[in-house]
Short mmCIF file of all heavy atoms in Angstrom, two decimals:
data_model
loop_
_atom_site.label_atom_id
_atom_site.label_comp_id
_atom_site.label_asym_id
_atom_site.label_seq_id
_atom_site.Cartn_x
_atom_site.Cartn_y
_atom_site.Cartn_z
N VAL I 3 123.43 89.69 63.82
CA VAL I 3 123.65 88.29 63.49
C VAL I 3 123.10 88.00 62.11
O VAL I 3 121.95 88.30 61.81
CB VAL I 3 122.96 87.36 64.52
CG1 VAL I 3 123.11 85.91 64.11
CG2 VAL I 3 123.55 87.58 65.90
N SER I 6 122.19 81.72 58.74
CA SER I 6 122.91 80.76 57.93
C SER I 6 122.33 80.70 56.52
O SER I 6 121.12 80.62 56.34
CB SER I 6 122.82 79.37 58.57
OG SER I 6 123.22 78.40 57.65
N ILE I 45 122.19 76.48 81.50
CA ILE I 45 122.85 76.90 82.73
C ILE I 45 121.96 76.61 83.93
O ILE I 45 120.74 76.78 83.85
CB ILE I 45 123.21 78.41 82.64
CG1 ILE I 45 124.10 78.84 83.81
CG2 ILE I 45 121.96 79.29 82.54
CD1 ILE I 45 124.78 80.18 83.59
N VAL I 53 124.25 85.15 83.16
CA VAL I 53 123.97 85.34 81.74
C VAL I 53 122.72 86.20 81.50
O VAL I 53 122.23 86.28 80.38
CB VAL I 53 123.82 83.98 81.01
CG1 VAL I 53 125.13 83.20 81.05
CG2 VAL I 53 122.70 83.15 81.63
N SER I 57 122.24 89.39 75.65
CA SER I 57 121.13 89.69 74.74
C SER I 57 121.64 89.67 73.30
O SER I 57 122.14 90.67 72.78
CB SER I 57 120.54 91.07 75.08
OG SER I 57 119.48 91.39 74.21
N ARG I 69 122.40 70.25 87.54
CA ARG I 69 123.74 70.83 87.44
C ARG I 69 124.70 69.72 87.05
O ARG I 69 124.70 68.65 87.64
CB ARG I 69 124.15 71.45 88.77
CG ARG I 69 125.52 72.13 88.77
CD ARG I 69 125.89 72.58 90.17
NE ARG I 69 127.20 73.19 90.22
CZ ARG I 69 127.43 74.49 90.15
NH1 ARG I 69 126.40 75.33 90.05
NH2 ARG I 69 128.65 74.99 90.20
N GLN I 74 123.04 69.00 81.80
CA GLN I 74 122.67 70.26 81.16
C GLN I 74 122.63 70.11 79.65
O GLN I 74 121.72 70.61 78.98
CB GLN I 74 123.65 71.38 81.54
CG GLN I 74 123.58 71.81 82.99
CD GLN I 74 124.75 72.70 83.39
OE1 GLN I 74 125.38 72.47 84.41
NE2 GLN I 74 125.05 73.71 82.59
N MET I 77 119.55 68.32 78.41
CA MET I 77 118.39 69.21 78.37
C MET I 77 118.42 70.07 77.11
O MET I 77 117.40 70.31 76.47
CB MET I 77 118.36 70.09 79.62
CG MET I 77 118.18 69.33 80.93
SD MET I 77 116.61 68.44 81.01
CE MET I 77 115.45 69.80 81.02
N TYR I 84 116.36 72.19 65.56
CA TYR I 84 116.71 71.87 64.18
C TYR I 84 117.36 70.50 64.03
O TYR I 84 117.77 69.88 65.02
CB TYR I 84 117.62 72.97 63.62
CG TYR I 84 116.93 74.31 63.69
CD1 TYR I 84 117.33 75.28 64.62
CD2 TYR I 84 115.85 74.61 62.86
CE1 TYR I 84 116.69 76.50 64.70
CE2 TYR I 84 115.20 75.82 62.95
CZ TYR I 84 115.62 76.75 63.87
OH TYR I 84 114.96 77.96 63.96
N ILE I 86 120.17 69.56 62.59
CA ILE I 86 121.61 69.53 62.86
C ILE I 86 121.84 70.17 64.23
O ILE I 86 121.43 71.30 64.47
CB ILE I 86 122.41 70.27 61.79
CG1 ILE I 86 122.08 69.72 60.39
CG2 ILE I 86 123.91 70.15 62.07
CD1 ILE I 86 122.34 68.25 60.21
N VAL I 117 130.61 64.21 63.71
CA VAL I 117 131.86 64.78 63.21
C VAL I 117 132.38 65.84 64.18
O VAL I 117 131.61 66.68 64.67
CB VAL I 117 131.67 65.42 61.82
CG1 VAL I 117 133.02 65.84 61.24
CG2 VAL I 117 130.97 64.47 60.87
N ALA I 125 147.63 79.11 72.18
CA ALA I 125 148.95 79.70 72.36
C ALA I 125 149.87 79.45 71.17
O ALA I 125 150.63 80.33 70.77
CB ALA I 125 149.58 79.16 73.64
N LYS I 132 149.63 67.00 69.21
CA LYS I 132 150.94 66.84 68.57
C LYS I 132 151.90 66.16 69.53
O LYS I 132 152.04 66.55 70.69
CB LYS I 132 151.50 68.20 68.16
CG LYS I 132 152.84 68.10 67.44
CD LYS I 132 153.35 69.47 67.02
CE LYS I 132 154.70 69.34 66.31
NZ LYS I 132 155.21 70.68 65.89
N TYR I 145 154.20 53.94 75.69
CA TYR I 145 153.02 53.44 74.98
C TYR I 145 152.93 51.92 75.00
O TYR I 145 151.83 51.35 74.97
CB TYR I 145 152.98 53.98 73.55
CG TYR I 145 152.55 55.43 73.49
CD1 TYR I 145 153.44 56.43 73.15
CD2 TYR I 145 151.25 55.79 73.82
CE1 TYR I 145 153.04 57.77 73.13
CE2 TYR I 145 150.84 57.11 73.81
CZ TYR I 145 151.74 58.10 73.46
OH TYR I 145 151.34 59.41 73.45
N ARG I 161 144.78 50.60 76.37
CA ARG I 161 144.37 49.62 77.38
C ARG I 161 144.44 50.16 78.79
O ARG I 161 143.91 49.55 79.72
CB ARG I 161 145.22 48.35 77.21
CG ARG I 161 144.90 47.63 75.89
CD ARG I 161 145.95 46.61 75.51
NE ARG I 161 145.98 45.48 76.43
CZ ARG I 161 146.84 44.46 76.32
NH1 ARG I 161 147.72 44.47 75.32
NH2 ARG I 161 146.81 43.48 77.19
N VAL I 168 144.15 62.61 67.86
CA VAL I 168 144.60 62.60 66.47
C VAL I 168 145.26 63.94 66.13
O VAL I 168 144.64 65.00 66.28
CB VAL I 168 143.41 62.35 65.52
CG1 VAL I 168 143.77 62.70 64.09
CG2 VAL I 168 142.96 60.90 65.61
N PHE I 173 147.98 62.65 59.09
CA PHE I 173 147.04 61.91 58.25
C PHE I 173 146.86 62.63 56.91
O PHE I 173 146.83 63.86 56.85
CB PHE I 173 145.68 61.78 58.94
CG PHE I 173 145.70 60.90 60.16
CD1 PHE I 173 146.13 61.38 61.38
CD2 PHE I 173 145.31 59.56 60.07
CE1 PHE I 173 146.15 60.57 62.50
CE2 PHE I 173 145.33 58.75 61.19
CZ PHE I 173 145.76 59.26 62.41
N HIS I 190 126.15 66.66 65.27
CA HIS I 190 125.32 65.46 65.17
C HIS I 190 124.09 65.74 64.30
O HIS I 190 123.73 66.90 64.05
CB HIS I 190 124.75 65.06 66.55
CG HIS I 190 125.73 64.96 67.66
ND1 HIS I 190 126.32 63.76 68.02
CD2 HIS I 190 126.21 65.90 68.53
CE1 HIS I 190 127.11 63.97 69.07
NE2 HIS I 190 127.05 65.25 69.40
N PHE I 200 123.77 60.34 81.28
CA PHE I 200 124.43 59.05 81.46
C PHE I 200 125.60 59.13 82.45
O PHE I 200 126.30 58.14 82.64
CB PHE I 200 124.93 58.51 80.11
CG PHE I 200 125.84 59.47 79.38
CD1 PHE I 200 127.17 59.59 79.72
CD2 PHE I 200 125.35 60.26 78.35
CE1 PHE I 200 128.01 60.47 79.04
CE2 PHE I 200 126.16 61.14 77.67
CZ PHE I 200 127.51 61.25 78.01
N VAL I 227 136.81 62.69 62.65
CA VAL I 227 137.47 63.98 62.85
C VAL I 227 137.71 64.59 61.48
O VAL I 227 138.22 63.92 60.57
CB VAL I 227 138.81 63.82 63.60
CG1 VAL I 227 139.59 65.14 63.59
CG2 VAL I 227 138.57 63.36 65.03
N LYS I 229 139.73 67.22 59.38
CA LYS I 229 140.96 67.99 59.46
C LYS I 229 140.76 69.48 59.16
O LYS I 229 141.33 70.34 59.82
CB LYS I 229 142.00 67.44 58.48
CG LYS I 229 142.70 66.20 58.92
CD LYS I 229 143.65 65.69 57.85
CE LYS I 229 144.72 66.71 57.48
NZ LYS I 229 145.72 66.13 56.55
N CYS I 230 139.96 69.77 58.15
CA CYS I 230 139.86 71.16 57.71
C CYS I 230 138.91 71.99 58.56
O CYS I 230 138.83 73.21 58.41
CB CYS I 230 139.46 71.24 56.23
SG CYS I 230 137.83 70.56 55.87
N GLU I 236 142.40 77.01 75.12
CA GLU I 236 143.56 77.22 75.98
C GLU I 236 143.84 75.94 76.74
O GLU I 236 142.93 75.33 77.31
CB GLU I 236 143.31 78.37 76.95
CG GLU I 236 144.51 78.73 77.80
CD GLU I 236 144.28 79.93 78.70
OE1 GLU I 236 143.17 80.52 78.60
OE2 GLU I 236 145.16 80.26 79.49
N ILE I 273 145.66 50.54 84.04
CA ILE I 273 145.22 51.82 84.58
C ILE I 273 146.17 52.28 85.69
O ILE I 273 146.48 53.46 85.81
CB ILE I 273 143.76 51.74 85.08
CG1 ILE I 273 143.27 53.10 85.57
CG2 ILE I 273 143.61 50.71 86.18
CD1 ILE I 273 141.80 53.11 85.98
#
Side-chain angles (χ1 to χ4, degrees):
V3 176
S6 165
I45 189 164
V53 296
S57 180
R69 182 186 178 95
Q74 291 168 229
M77 296 298 294
Y84 302 107
I86 306 301
V117 188
K132 182 179 180 180
Y145 284 110
R161 292 165 67 182
V168 165
F173 292 82
H190 310 265
F200 56 80
V227 171
K229 282 177 59 173
C230 63
E236 185 176 357
I273 184 175

